[in-house]
Each structure stands twice: as C-alpha cells, then as structure tokens.
Amino acid sequence: MSRFSKTLMALLLAGVTTSAIAFERYKGIGRVATEAEVAAWDIDVRPDFKGLPKGSGTVDDGIELWETHCTSCHGSFGESNEVFTPIVGGTSADDIKTGHVKSLISGSSPQRTTLMKVATVSTLFDYIQRAMPWTAPKSLKPDEVYAILAYLLNLADIVPADFVLSDANIREVQERMPNRNGMTTDHGMWPGVAAAKAGMGNGGKPDVSNVACMKDCKKEVEIVSALPDYAQDAHGNLAEQNRLVGQTRGKRTSAPGEPAEQGEPSVAAAALALANAKGCMACHGVASKLVGPGYNEIAQKYQAQADAEEMLVAKVKLGGQGNWGAIPMPPQAHVADEDIRLLVQWVLQGAKAQ
Amino acid sequence: MANIDARPGRIRPAPENFLTHEQIVAVKEGRRGFLRTAFVAASAAMAAPAVVQAAVQGDPAILELPSWSTTLGMPVAANPYGLPSRYERALQRRESPGLTRVGGSSVSFTPLQGLFGIITPSGLHFERHHQGWHDVDPARHRLMINGLVKTQAVFTMDDIMRLPSVSRIHFIECGANTGMEWGNVAVPTVQYSHGMLSCSEFTGVPLKEILDMCGADYKKGRYVLAEGADGSSMTRTIPMELIESGEVLVAYGMNGEMLRPENGYPLRLVVPGVQGVSWVKWLRRIEVGDQPWASKDEAVHYIDLMPDGQHRQYSSIQECKSVITTPSGGQLLLDKGFYNISGLAWSGRGKVTRVDVSTDGGINWRQARLETPVLSKASTRFNIDWVWDGKPAILQSRAVDDSGYVQPGYGQLRAARGTRSIYHNNAIQSWKVVESGEVSNVQVL
C-alpha cells in the first residue's frame, strides 16, 4: 500500500473528511486540519498570553529541573558564558521599578544577558517550551516550563524564592519584567504599515540620509580603525581562502596547512566528526576542560581501569555528575549506542584527529 | 611588488635598471657574452627557473604539452553529481573563529571574494542554524495553516508542488551581516565581513495563494507567524502587507534543484528584502493573527540596541548596501596596471539604481557599470575599470536604490545608532591598498 493511501486510510478511520475544504480554484489540493493536529503544533505563546497552557511550577521544582536539564550549558545560576551568552545578571531592583534596564544605557554591563534584554515574559515561556533542552527540544511538560521559568525569574529577584508561577499570575510577573519598557518600534525597518495606520514602525523612513557627492567630497581621509597585527592570522591562512588564479591572490598569514588527506577518512577522523555532529565538542575540548573535562583528561584518568569503556558508555548514555565537579553531564539519548561506543573508544585512545 | 606567488604564464621583462646605460651600449656593440652572464645572475635572483627558459623560448605551459592534452580524459557521469574543480578548494563556507561556541547555533560565511555574477552556488550559500540542521524527509513534511482563517488546513509537499509556481531571484542577508564591524575592524576578508549574503533563484508558491485558499481574515489578521520544523522551531512575525504584495513565497526550489538541507529542505519561506532570520527554514506552520508574537528571535536576539538604551524591535528590512568583492581584504595585487574592481549591491527596498566607486577613500567618486539583470531585492553586480599606479589607495563603493536612499558612511550610521547595535550595519566598506599590493580592511568616517 502506498504511503499516500495509508495516510488517507488513517484520516478516514479518524473520521476526517478530506472534502470539506472548499478550494474552488485548486481542486484536490490540501485538506482540513484536525483539532488534534492544530493543538499538536500550535504551541506558540504571544505577549498577550494567547496560547499559554494552564499549569504552575515552583522555584524549588525549577532548581531541580535546572540542574538536570540546563546547568550543563547555562551554569547553575544561568550565569554561564561558556556555551551560550548568560541568561541572568545585569538587572537591578530599580530596573524592576522603571521597566528599563539602566546598564543598557550606560553600557556598564560587559554583556547583555537575556533578562536585561527581553521585555516580554511570554517570550521566555514560549522559547523554553518549543526549543529546550538543547538536545531534547519540546520534551518539557507545561508545569516543568513554569517551574524552570520561576527559577530563572527568582535568580533575577523578579519573583521571591517561595513563588509559584502559574497561568493565573504570569500577567503580574510581566509588570515586573526589568526591561518591559525597553523596546521601540519607532524605526523605518518594519516592512508593514506604520503605527500611525494601526501597524508598527514609522512607515519606512530611514534614520540616515547620505548624498551621492561625486567630487571633492571631503578634505582628507582619516582611517579610524584597521585590523590589528595580532589578528591578521586569526582566520587562518588567507592564501588558502582565495583562488589560485585571477587578478589577485590571498595574502599568506600563516604557514601553509597540511594538504587534505586523500581517500577514506580514518576511524579517528570519523569519531571526531561524530563528536562535532552530536554536540560533544560544545562542552568538551580535546586537551582541556571547557564545561566538562577534556578528552585527554578523561583518557588519563580511566585508561588503566579495566572496565573503563563499559563505564563511560553508560555515563554518556545516562548522564553523570560529581566525577569532574558539580556541573552534571546530561543524558545523551540522541546518540545511538554504537556511536557512543565509537566515541568512548576514540576518547580512550587519545582523541586524535587522524 | 608582492612576489610570493608569481603569476604563471608571464614572461617577465628584466627588472628596471637591470642593464646600465654602459651595458646597453656594450650589448649593442655585440658583446653578448656579458649579457649572458648578467642574465643568468638575474634569473637566479628571481627564483623562478621557468623564466630562464621562458625568456629564451617561451612559456613552458605552451611549449610542453600538459597531460590533459596528451592522454584520455574521464568518462561521462564519473561524478554523478558534479563537483567544483579540485583547484577551487580554497573557496568554501567557513566559520569565523571565536564568534560562536556551538556549531549547531552558528554561522558559516559565503566566500564572496571568489564569486562572479549574482547567483551564489547552492553549496556555498551561507548557513545560519539555531539548533542544528536536519535532512527532513519530504514525504513526512507538512505545512499547516491556522489562526484567523476560515479553514485550518494541512498541505503535503505533493500538494504544494502541484500548485502554480513562480521562480524569482532574490538576495538573502542575515540581519547580523557585518555585525562584528559596528565598533571597529574585526575581520580580515569580505567573506567574514559580508559573507552572510547569498542570492539565488527561488521557486515556490506565493503564500498569498495559500492563505486565499484557506480564507484568511485579511482585515483582522495583519500579522503572520512562520514556524520551522527543526528543534528550535524558529518563529518570526511577518507583516501581512508583504504577503499581500505577492512577494512572499513558500519555496522548495533553489537554483534549479530542491533546496539544500542546510537551507531548509524541503520548504522554506522567502521574504524578499527582509533579513534572513525571517526566511524560516523547514517551514511547518503559518498562523494568521492580529498581533506580533515577540518570539525569541524578535525579543532577545535580532533587536538593535540604540545609544539611549532602547532596543529597536521587529527591525526587518535590509537597507541599501554594497561591497567591493575584489580587490578586497586579505588579497594581494600582483602588479601595477589594470584591474576590474567588482562588487555586489543590494537593497531590501527595491532595485539598485547606481553604484559609485572611490579609489581615494571617498574624496572623489566614479559611477560603476551595473551588470544585467538588475532586479528588485536581488544582488546586483557592478564593475569599474581601475589602473593601479602602485601608490596607496582606499577602495569604496556606495549604492543608491530606487527609493533614493544612499548607502551611508560609518560616521553617519554611528551618529544615528551608536556602535552597539550588532544588527543592520550597511555602512560603506573601505579596503586599503598599500605599495606592496596588500589589501586590508579599514574603516574611514
């Protein structure tokens, strides 16, 4: 039976009528969506909280969930700058009053954290629900999203430690968001109609106005910035990033790289590619600690241990904590068993590139 | 003059003043033995053995037949899907080291320094993923339309590909293109400064056709949410006015074939003139609504910080911009003489109407030639003749679009927006040329 007729059968069994849609011009194309289908995909939450699921979560539950799902990338307090930019930091009690984060004006904060920028608490709920955790998006239940969000809000002192965030009180939380008054749509880069005509933006009026002067346009030319010498080779050897013929060549900025290996990639190269593809390299370096230990550190610690391979395969699969510090390694359910074994063997053999 | 990579095929004249006046007189008098000695010495100094022979008989590339002229070549379909020449390996998508720490949420840049015309080869189209890319099974992909429509509907790829299609050439530029350069020069080449720009022919169905089918409420529903099927299920708000114009496409084709997986296979939104993040890849759902959504990528990222501490939200249009792609940063001019200054210009508001080029850092300008086709919201190739006299120069290009907007300089842009915006940097780019022929990235006000 073809895939098409299977789908059709399933729809008929489910009592779906495929002819209800009155697409006069394009007969036979498309069908009505079922309520269950729309509910399965229509998960967005708008600033007016349209789409917000019912539910609640405590700060305490949020701490637990955070440690399991979030700490490895974001740090225990949402402060980590190791993998992603920090979520928490840079906001004050005064900002909660004014609704505009002061350090954005002064530029005093070295980085803009999520809570410094975001104006709408709905954005955080929506994003955590649709895209987190990083390797298992859409796996959190609404109550878990509420709890994780409650913990984040507590870290920024937007809600107290005993707070229970719910669909019933999230509007009150919105009124305490530190940068709730920090967004403007008064600019010319919204392609729809202007705010004056019930849309957004200024209708497309640019904020700069240059003229196409052709002759003697200025007296002198001042170079205000140039690439510093130490950064010349930061992007590799530019001679190898330009064509070998033509009107120019690339400038040699470092020693020529090794010529690419011909033929089949080695087992080590395949393992390295796998480590990249599965996101392992986000937290582990080859030689040294990033978020988790470096591969060489792991090899050194366990090489002599007879059951090292089995033990590490289990650790990667199920996650672990405490061997290398407080930051837990989340379970890597998205990596196939044979791939985990290949990666562990590669790590124990020194995590070589070739 | 830069001498590290001598140009092949040139029969080099002896260096200037190689023969003194006395020596020339001696040669004329027939003392050829002296000339021979002097020539051998000069050849050795040039460290290019071919030249010795070249000067005597000609170019070995002509005199000695290469293997491809004297042996049998490869059969048809040796590469069932063709690949570029192995000599073109230098031109690849590359990441900018240190820009991001996770490959699944990162950028790879198009090597603009080596491309011609306006179409970006599909394999070199820049990438920006928010939670990694997948190769989506097209038979299991669906497009759902819901929200303020009479009929909430589902379409398969079979459905969408049966509808009347259009093919249009448009540029796509990430809102953060040139973002590393807001405060100062940060990267060496045009690949990293402007390489989040590509231009392709896209094939698909105007979204308006599909919304018409579903009976969209165009009166109340002035905003549309586009959502991807990837892990991040990336979402952005699109104004209904753009969709009503017929320009916004639900596209499956790119440059004559299906979209590449990295570019949203099997279905992506095409939103001409608007920053790339709104061109939602792996498009699974369109919702019609009466308010914008303030999704993560329009409430935390892709917001432009202004000097007063306010962020501009829903900034979407890519304003008129241009860049010289060759000669450009990190390249070397091998000799004085004629060059074809070539670059790209584009505008999210419409057609590019002219491009001016300066070789003196913006004091004087000349109008460049626009090569056809010149299309609305598409990259436009410009060229202009230049004879390099071997002296320092600063190359710039400045584009104008059919709204009359003239691409601004860094001074004007920073006066309006400061230096912390990250997004929407469309300032005039400067490339400095020094006597050695080296070209580098600089900023002038």
Side-chain angles (χ1 to χ4, degrees):
Chain A
M1 194 185 281
S2 77
R3 199 190 303 267
F4 173 75
S5 48
K6 261 189 205 161
T7 309
L8 194 61
M9 280 297 289
L11 290 170
L12 291 172
L13 289 171
V16 176
T17 159
T18 52
S19 58
I21 196 160
F23 295 155
E24 285 157 28
R25 188 166 170 202
Y26 304 117
K27 281 191 172 51
I29 293 181
R31 65 165 177 84
V32 176
T34 71
E35 274 181 38
E37 287 171 338
V38 173
W41 278 9
D42 184 5
I43 57 170
D44 58 79
V45 180
R46 267 191 343 195
D48 62 352
F49 300 108
K50 181 177 171 291
L52 185 72
K54 286 198 184 318
S56 66
T58 66
V59 172
D60 276 349
D61 287 347
I63 295 174
E64 298 259 321
L65 289 160
W66 187 266
E67 280 298 323
T68 309
H69 298 293
C70 319
T71 297
S72 54
C73 287
H74 296 294
S76 289
F77 308 102
E79 84 299 347
S80 174
N81 195 25
E82 295 281 343
V83 184
F84 300 103
T85 46
I87 300 171
V88 178
T91 61
S92 68
D94 201 41
D95 298 337
I96 292 172
K97 273 189 218 136
T98 63
H100 190 195
V101 171
K102 207 171 176 185
S103 55
L104 289 172
I105 306 165
S106 61
S108 60
S109 186
Q111 256 181 323
R112 277 177 278 164
T113 68
T114 300
L115 286 174
M116 283 169 67
K117 293 186 282 184
V118 70
T120 36
V121 70
S122 61
T123 303
L124 301 175
F125 191 99
D126 176 87
Y127 182 64
I128 295 168
Q129 176 171 259
R130 74 172 54 246
M132 288 293 113
W134 179 246
T135 56
K138 304 179 191 67
S139 62
L140 297 169
K141 296 180 182 69
D143 286 351
E144 294 177 318
V145 178
Y146 277 108
I148 287 169
L149 182 52
Y151 175 58
L152 274 180
L153 294 167
N154 173 247
L155 285 171
D157 290 326
I158 298 166
V159 303
D162 59 357
F163 197 72
V164 187
L165 180 68
S166 73
D167 56 293
N169 63 18
I170 198 165
R171 284 170 183 77
E172 294 153 36
V173 173
Q174 173 58 38
E175 291 312 305
R176 292 176 56 77
M177 291 297 283
N179 204 39
R180 63 187 176 278
N181 299 322
M183 295 286 171
T184 175
T185 55
D186 184 16
H187 57 74
M189 294 164 116
W190 172 250
V193 300
K197 294 178 181 169
M200 291 197 294
N202 70 12
K205 190 176 176 294
D207 58 354
V208 291
S209 150
N210 196 5
V211 288
C213 167
M214 298 302 284
K215 215 171 159 40
D216 302 323
C217 302
K218 50 187 170 187
K219 285 209 168 59
E220 54 179 1
V221 176
E222 189 197 352
I223 292 177
V224 294
S225 180
L227 196 66
D229 283 344
Y230 66 81
Q232 295 290 337
D233 63 351
H235 286 71
N237 188 356
L238 303 179
E240 291 168 357
Q241 301 179 22
N242 277 272
R243 187 169 283 118
L244 303 166
V245 295
Q247 66 176 0
T248 57
R249 294 291 181 277
K251 182 181 154 191
R252 186 161 291 159
T253 48
S254 60
E258 294 288 313
E261 189 99 350
Q262 297 294 312
E264 291 294 304
S266 64
V267 175
L272 178 62
L274 190 64
N276 268 312
K278 297 299 178 188
C280 312
M281 306 300 278
C283 294
H284 300 278
V286 169
S288 58
K289 183 178 188 305
L290 286 176
V291 177
Y295 295 129
N296 290 346
E297 295 174 303
I298 299 170
Q300 206 171 6
K301 184 165 174 177
Y302 296 116
Q303 233 155 19
Q305 204 170 308
D307 65 343
E309 186 176 319
E310 293 310 317
M311 184 274 294
L312 288 172
V313 165
K315 276 261 192 289
V316 174
K317 206 170 157 178
L318 304 171
Q321 187 182 13
N323 298 304
W324 297 92
I327 297 176
M329 167 145 166
Q332 304 296 312
H334 66 298
V335 190
D337 285 1
E338 63 267 27
D339 286 346
I340 292 180
R341 189 163 297 277
L342 175 69
L343 286 165
V344 165
Q345 288 167 349
W346 170 70
V347 167
L348 288 172
Q349 285 160 19
K352 293 189 178 67
Q354 291 293 331
Chain B
M1 216 61 34
N3 194 31
I4 64 157
D5 290 305
R7 250 192 292 185
R10 307 183 79 206
I11 299 177
R12 285 198 178 208
E16 274 177 54
N17 304 321
F18 168 59
L19 297 182
T20 63
H21 180 70
E22 287 79 2
Q23 287 165 335
I24 290 167
V25 171
V27 170
K28 281 184 177 159
E29 287 169 6
R31 287 152 62 185
R32 288 179 183 275
F34 168 78
L35 176 61
R36 245 192 320 274
T37 321
F39 181 79
V40 169
S43 303
M46 281 191 281
V51 177
V52 180
Q53 192 183 0
V56 178
Q57 291 180 297
D59 183 350
I62 295 169
L63 299 178
E64 295 162 18
L65 290 180
S67 61
W68 51 85
S69 300
T70 56
T71 58
L72 177 62
M74 301 284 282
V76 298
N79 292 324
Y81 194 103
L83 294 167
S85 161
R86 62 195 167 107
Y87 299 105
E88 293 294 311
R89 277 185 200 147
L91 299 166
Q92 297 186 355
R93 293 192 287 224
R94 294 174 194 275
E95 283 192 88
S96 182
L99 182 62
T100 56
R101 277 153 289 186
V102 187
S105 175
S106 189
V107 175
S108 70
F109 296 81
T110 294
L112 297 176
Q113 69 274 20
L115 301 189
F116 314 113
I118 61 172
I119 298 293
T120 310
S122 296
L124 295 176
H125 190 296
F126 80 92
E127 297 169 279
R128 167 76 172 110
H129 312 308
H130 292 254
Q131 209 148 338
W133 62 275
H134 295 273
D135 198 355
V136 171
D137 178 354
R140 290 169 59 199
H141 189 74
R142 302 288 182 269
L143 175 66
M144 179 184 289
I145 312 288
N146 74 313
L148 299 175
V149 291
K150 277 203 192 84
T151 311
Q152 307 200 107
V154 173
F155 297 86
T156 61
M157 287 305 297
D158 294 345
D159 288 329
I160 293 163
M161 294 171 80
R162 272 171 72 187
L163 289 168
S165 69
V166 297
S167 296
R168 291 176 192 154
I169 296 173
H170 289 298
F171 80 83
I172 169 171
E173 182 186 23
C174 177
N177 200 25
T178 325
M180 289 182 276
E181 303 264 308
W182 260 108
N184 50 266
V185 169
V187 295
T189 73
V190 71
Q191 176 160 17
Y192 306 106
S193 66
H194 289 74
M196 284 195 273
L197 170 79
S198 296
C199 182
S200 297
E201 183 197 62
F202 293 96
T203 298
V205 181
L207 176 55
K208 183 167 190 302
E209 291 284 331
I210 294 173
L211 291 188
D212 283 352
M213 286 169 78
C214 300
D217 182 347
Y218 290 108
K219 194 147 186 269
K220 270 200 211 146
R222 301 311 298 166
Y223 301 90
V224 165
L225 183 78
E227 179 180 80
D230 59 324
S232 76
S233 291
M234 238 275 311
T235 42
R236 276 288 301 200
T237 303
I238 317 289
M240 188 59 98
E241 291 84 356
L242 272 193
I243 293 157
E244 287 172 315
S245 78
E247 286 190 357
V248 176
L249 306 182
V250 172
Y252 44 83
M254 185 166 102
N255 297 333
E257 59 184 1
M258 288 293 279
L259 291 160
R260 296 287 173 92
E262 299 95 315
N263 303 121
Y265 182 91
L267 199 65
R268 86 175 304 170
L269 202 64
V270 166
V271 193
V274 168
Q275 61 186 355
V277 68
S278 294
W279 298 41
V280 173
K281 298 189 282 188
W282 314 289
L283 181 71
R284 77 168 192 180
R285 192 168 67 92
I286 293 285
E287 182 173 345
V288 179
D290 57 2
Q291 284 181 27
W293 273 263
S295 72
K296 184 263 280 175
D297 289 302
E298 52 196 18
V300 177
H301 303 302
Y302 303 90
I303 51 176
D304 314 25
L305 181 59
M306 294 295 110
D308 64 358
Q310 288 282 328
H311 282 98
R312 287 182 178 172
Q313 194 174 21
Y314 304 111
S315 51
S316 306
I317 292 176
Q318 296 298 107
E319 292 183 308
C320 191
K321 184 168 172 180
S322 69
V323 67
I324 294 169
T325 53
T326 180
S328 60
Q331 295 187 330
L332 287 167
L333 305 179
L334 299 177
D335 205 346
K336 290 184 225 176
F338 183 86
Y339 286 89
N340 176 42
I341 294 178
S342 186
L344 291 168
W346 61 99
S347 169
R349 290 208 173 89
K351 278 187 187 177
V352 170
T353 53
R354 67 183 278 174
V355 176
D356 302 315
V357 168
S358 172
T359 56
D360 61 11
I363 297 172
N364 298 295
W365 299 78
R366 289 186 295 145
Q367 193 171 341
R369 301 185 302 276
L370 300 187
E371 307 302 339
T372 53
V374 178
L375 300 168
S376 179
K377 302 175 186 179
S379 290
T380 300
R381 174 64 65 174
F382 66 86
N383 289 303
I384 190 169
D385 299 353
W386 181 45
V387 177
W388 184 43
D389 57 8
K391 297 199 181 101
I394 293 177
L395 312 182
Q396 297 180 326
S397 65
R398 180 185 65 198
V400 184
D401 70 16
D402 58 4
S403 77
Y405 178 93
V406 182
Q407 185 184 2
Y410 265 105
Q412 292 163 316
L413 212 53
R414 286 177 183 154
R417 303 186 204 160
T419 58
R420 298 181 296 157
S421 162
I422 298 180
Y423 301 98
H424 302 112
N425 178 358
N426 67 326
I428 291 170
Q429 169 69 42
S430 304
W431 303 119
K432 184 176 78 166
V433 182
V434 294
E435 281 102 335
S436 67
E438 282 184 27
V439 188
S440 64
N441 184 4
V442 297
Q443 291 181 352
V444 303
L445 295 181

